[in-house]
Amino acid sequence: MDHFHYVGGELYCQQVRLSEVAAEFGTPLYVYSRTTLEEHYDRFAQAFAPLDPLICFAAKACSNIEVLRVLVQRGAGIDVVSGGELHRARLAGCPGERIVFAGVGKSDHEVREALTTGTPPSTGGPPGEPIRTFNVESEQEYESIAMAARSLGVRAHAALRVNPSIDLKTHEYLHTAARDAKFGVDMHHARTLLRKFHAEKHLRLTGLHVHLGSLIHDTRPYVQAINECLTLIDELASDGIRIESLDIGGGFGADYVTGEAMPAAEYARAIVPLLEQRVRNGLKIILEPGRSIAANAGVLLTRVMFVKRGPQKKFVIVDAGMNTLVRPALYDAFHFIWPASVSPQHEPVRRQSSPDMPGLETADVVGPICESGDFLAKDRLLPAVGRGELLSVFTSGAYGMAMASRYNSHPLPAEVMIEGSRARLVRRREDYRDLVAHELPETTQIFDGRTAARRSET
Ligand code: LLP
């Protein structure tokens, strides 16, 4: 199971025993394997090497600065969708040339930060450079970014996100290319916008971007979308309009159950032949994988608080809930859960939904949040566990901590990076001071009509 494995019934990440890490840093705790992050990135880079692409890790999957830094040092760029993610990318040392900025609703403030070096270091911001490109999702958005570029006197690049309306077999919330999706523009409208704005001085619209959705265990949607983009590129070329880059987004699967997803090489086998010649003719290819790199590079460690038997069910109540990992509650997602210390007969060799072992019991693994939807697993076969035991929730590196909340006023958990034989705290656990820091009297302010009137006088 990547670099998370059992030795003598004990779960290790690389050379580090996770029960010791949990004892040191507490639970709930996100733990990342540096080696897995690096290997997953390298697999992508090798598989797509014939296209010499820019691989921009989707920061939304796991935005911890140190996770981003590991990937940036490996050669990755970063796909950001907010000023906050841009701030993180710059703190992680990502050169502007390797940052792409997507999202349907970028604010004027975020756009200005991306067009310039961001917040000056004197105000706590990291030193930065203007980004490589905006992935633009509407005509109005294009115009507002172009206006900002004009007023700043800078020249920037944009790619248009197109929506080829492709049917995907994935959870409806993870499907972004449906005909009624809010993302991108349809192919017909795309043609018009690219003709209109491609040569605009301050914001050249010279790229195409397509992201179909997430957890796509099939190469056909990619092939279809890329072919549609290439047709559009050829049509524009016959009008003398040259498209310089094609960003094919992310969405590549990850193994929540061992063997469920295709390796990067298999996606590449279908995609590379479509684009090789185009790359030789000067087309730049960009990829935005998130989950396929981070999901199996992280686990969530949580401790059993109580075991409770109801009339129909057994509940294992743990200290992580929908506030810590929302995927089961939100998407009915499966995460393999297993104790971090087990007897030899219960040592799992792979992530599977119904382990074929003696002496397992069915239970719901639930959190402390006051909602019935607060569960990590339902009707799950598990070895018998008791109070204080440590459980590992696998495949939690993507959309785990990144989607965690403080619901029910639980401070956010800590994050640890395993590097060889050591564990490094890369985000300290929040405490109650953090929880209320923005609500204390000295941070609140009063606004009334008189304040407004005074402002308009000055
Ligand atoms: N590029 C764009 C424009 C995206 O919107 C996304 C993900 C990605 C790249 C990365 O996709 P990936 O390779 O990670 O599938 N919270 C959900 C997943 C939402 C994905 C949103 N966009 C989950 O936990 O399953």
Side-chain angles (χ1 to χ4, degrees):
M1 297 197 289
D2 299 285
H3 289 278
F4 296 92
H5 51 267
Y6 284 81
V7 180
E10 286 292 319
L11 179 61
Y12 281 74
C13 175
Q14 301 176 193
Q15 287 107 275
V16 182
R17 197 151 109 181
L18 291 188
S19 55
E20 287 171 9
V21 177
E24 175 68 21
F25 297 110
T27 56
L29 181 71
Y30 277 97
V31 179
Y32 306 112
S33 154
R34 179 178 184 136
T35 310
T36 310
L37 284 169
E38 291 172 343
E39 284 181 6
H40 286 182
Y41 173 78
D42 289 354
R43 275 186 219 158
F44 247 92
Q46 276 157 20
F48 286 93
L51 302 180
D52 188 26
L54 173 63
I55 301 176
C56 291
F57 174 67
K60 64 174 82 60
C62 186
S63 52
N64 183 284
I65 298 162
E66 293 305 311
V67 169
L68 301 183
R69 193 190 309 280
V70 164
L71 296 168
V72 166
Q73 283 175 356
R74 212 70 181 175
I78 307 218
D79 156 37
V80 303
V81 288
S82 68
E85 285 187 357
L86 174 60
H87 188 75
R88 287 171 177 277
R90 283 173 168 159
L91 280 170
C94 190
E97 246 317 285
R98 302 206 310 241
I99 299 176
V100 299
F101 192 164
V104 287
K106 306 172 189 79
S107 71
D108 290 349
H109 183 71
E110 290 173 321
V111 165
R112 289 180 91 83
E113 284 179 347
L115 284 170
T116 58
T117 56
T119 333
S122 57
T123 58
E129 301 157 4
I131 64 161
R132 179 189 188 97
T133 190
F134 291 94
N135 289 333
V136 168
E137 305 235 8
S138 67
E139 181 163 4
Q140 280 190 354
E141 187 202 351
Y142 170 84
E143 281 172 344
S144 88
I145 299 176
M147 198 152 67
R150 242 188 325 273
S151 75
L152 288 165
V154 298
R155 292 174 183 223
H157 286 267
L160 185 64
R161 178 162 178 183
V162 293
N163 188 348
S165 82
I166 286 174
D167 252 350
L168 291 182
K169 288 182 187 56
T170 188
H171 190 285
E172 70 168 306
Y173 291 180
L174 306 186
H175 190 328
T176 50
R179 201 173 283 281
D180 58 357
K182 68 175 177 177
F183 300 99
V185 302
D186 65 78
M187 297 307 264
H188 180 73
H189 192 197
R191 217 163 285 144
T192 315
L193 294 182
L194 286 154
R195 285 204 178 105
K196 193 164 162 192
F197 296 123
H198 79 280
E200 196 60 24
K201 185 167 156 211
H202 290 280
L203 187 67
R204 294 185 57 217
L205 189 60
T206 54
L208 283 186
H209 174 226
V210 61
H211 171 78
L212 300 172
S214 207
L215 260 184
I216 307 172
H217 295 303
D218 187 0
T219 56
R220 282 170 299 185
Y222 289 96
V223 171
Q224 192 185 335
I226 290 168
N227 279 331
E228 287 197 34
C229 288
L230 293 178
T231 306
L232 178 57
I233 287 174
D234 290 340
E235 279 174 23
L236 291 162
S238 62
D239 295 348
I241 296 169
R242 186 161 169 265
I243 296 298
E244 293 163 11
S245 65
L246 172 62
D247 181 337
I248 62 170
F252 311 98
D255 271 345
Y256 286 83
V257 174
T258 306
E260 194 178 48
M262 288 186 282
E266 215 168 306
Y267 290 102
R269 232 190 321 278
I271 293 171
V272 167
L274 304 177
L275 296 171
E276 253 177 324
Q277 188 56 43
R278 306 286 179 144
V279 168
R280 266 181 240 125
N281 295 342
L283 186 68
K284 183 70 188 168
I285 303 297
I286 301 172
L287 295 154
E288 300 171 346
R291 187 194 313 271
S292 47
I293 289 181
N296 275 309
V299 299
L300 167 63
L301 298 179
T302 180
R303 224 172 258 292
V304 177
M305 303 174 78
F306 307 106
V307 178
K308 166 169 156 175
R309 284 178 200 276
Q312 312 211 321
K313 283 197 165 198
K314 176 179 160 192
F315 296 100
V316 175
I317 300 164
V318 296
D319 62 5
M322 65 193 293
N323 54 322
T324 331
L325 177 71
V326 76
R327 302 194 71 258
L330 191 56
Y331 313 113
D332 219 0
F334 173 86
H335 285 259
F336 179 61
I337 301 180
W338 209 250
S341 303
V342 286
S343 61
Q345 63 168 353
H346 287 147
E347 226 178 79
V349 285
R350 56 200 183 95
R351 299 173 287 273
Q352 59 186 126
S353 43
S354 302
D356 183 15
M357 290 172 183
L360 301 184
E361 290 182 19
T362 304
D364 281 12
V365 182
V366 300
I369 300 298
C370 297
E371 296 226 16
S372 302
D374 177 33
F375 63 92
L376 297 180
K378 284 211 159 151
D379 298 320
R380 192 64 67 78
L381 279 171
L382 282 175
V385 288
R387 291 195 68 186
E389 272 188 61
L390 189 66
L391 299 184
S392 174
V393 185
F394 289 83
T395 323
S396 300
Y399 307 107
M401 183 63 177
M403 293 178 82
S405 76
R406 299 183 184 85
Y407 188 38
N408 281 196
S409 286
H410 288 282
L412 288 175
E415 294 172 288
V416 161
M417 176 93 71
I418 305 295
E419 294 166 321
S421 60
R422 62 175 208 161
R424 181 158 62 102
L425 185 67
V426 291
R427 182 188 167 104
R428 75 161 168 80
R429 182 174 305 284
E430 286 190 359
D431 57 23
Y432 295 145
R433 268 169 309 179
D434 299 313
L435 201 62
V436 299
H438 298 274
E439 297 165 43
L440 296 176
E442 61 269 25
T443 62
T444 59
Q445 84 188 53
I446 308 280
F447 177 78
D448 63 22
R450 273 165 301 184
T451 318
R454 266 201 307 281
R455 250 189 223 156
S456 65
E457 280 163 21
T458 54

